[in-house]
Amino acid sequence: MLDPYNKDDREILRLLEEKGYRMEGSGMDQIYLKQALKSAHRSKDASEIRNFEDELGESSSAIIFSALSTEAIISEYITHVEFSSSEIPESLIKLRESLDPMLKWKTLLKFVKPDINIGSNSRFQKLNCLMDLRNSLAHRQARLLEPNRYPEKLENYMRLKIIEKPNEF
């Protein structure tokens, strides 16, 4: 990643700008990730003092910023490929057009490591869980559930021990 605070990288960025290249931002994945970690710590602190409203708000913020971070990684990777070569492979061009983050990750992982078995990859399962959590927040539809029950997708992740089951009320 080019660092605008590094003298050599700044010169490369200047030359790229002269040729007409523009880059809106770099390192956004790290900014979002740091924010997610701050929110996660605030959520834990709120939980310890039984401030459930702040716990929920900060947990939600941590999930959303984590998801933003993973999507920024893809965007910045494609931009890196574009800067380092004269053309972007067709499969990566399609990633820019897609709104489905999991399809983007599947495509990117297959591009980087064609022999990867995505279905059994634990990191991919965790990423899929993160996106489902994000979607459950962003596209929330109130439903009546029995006490200590969770939406089916989330219960599946709990059964697989990808996420911990929260303490019961």
Side-chain angles (χ1 to χ4, degrees):
M1 190 175 320
L2 295 173
D3 178 3
Y5 299 105
N6 176 286
K7 184 180 131 195
D8 296 328
D9 286 354
R10 204 171 32 246
E11 178 62 18
I12 293 169
L13 287 168
R14 187 188 66 73
L15 292 170
L16 288 169
E17 284 177 14
E18 282 180 9
K19 292 189 176 221
Y21 287 102
R22 284 189 18 184
M23 189 163 174
E24 284 183 26
S26 181
M28 293 303 293
D29 60 319
Q30 292 300 308
I31 292 169
Y32 295 146
L33 184 59
K34 284 179 187 173
Q35 187 60 48
L37 292 171
K38 288 178 186 176
S39 293
H41 288 294
R42 288 192 297 261
S43 174
K44 184 174 187 256
D45 292 345
S47 174
E48 288 172 359
I49 61 169
R50 302 189 63 76
N51 181 338
F52 298 118
E53 188 175 308
D54 284 356
E55 179 185 7
L56 176 62
E58 293 298 343
S59 295
S60 299
S61 176
I63 290 165
I64 290 170
F65 274 108
S66 295
L68 279 171
S69 177
T70 66
E71 292 194 55
I73 289 169
I74 295 171
S75 175
E76 292 182 13
Y77 180 85
I78 296 168
T79 301
H80 248 343
V81 170
E82 185 176 29
F83 278 143
S84 64
S85 63
S86 58
E87 62 185 65
I88 303 175
E90 185 67 31
S91 61
L92 294 185
I93 290 173
K94 289 180 182 176
L95 289 183
R96 283 195 169 151
E97 299 164 3
S98 174
L99 296 178
D100 180 349
M102 294 315 296
L103 178 62
K104 287 181 176 187
W105 273 104
K106 284 178 189 175
T107 305
L108 182 60
L109 290 171
K110 288 287 187 184
F111 175 77
V112 174
K113 190 174 180 186
D115 62 336
I116 190 169
N117 182 352
I118 291 174
S120 65
N121 185 292
S122 66
R123 286 185 178 168
F124 188 78
Q125 289 173 343
K126 290 175 183 175
L127 182 62
N128 202 36
C129 176
L130 172 64
M131 290 305 167
D132 282 343
L133 285 168
R134 177 225 165 267
N135 289 341
S136 73
L137 291 171
H139 309 292
R140 185 178 179 278
Q141 296 178 358
R143 292 182 179 85
L144 294 176
L145 294 171
E146 295 175 28
N148 300 312
R149 293 293 312 243
Y150 302 91
E152 190 175 326
K153 273 190 174 182
L154 299 183
E155 283 197 344
N156 287 336
Y157 292 121
M158 290 177 208
R159 273 193 294 281
L160 295 170
K161 301 199 183 306
I162 292 173
I163 56 176
E164 289 181 30
K165 186 172 184 175
N167 293 329
E168 296 188 5
F169 300 93

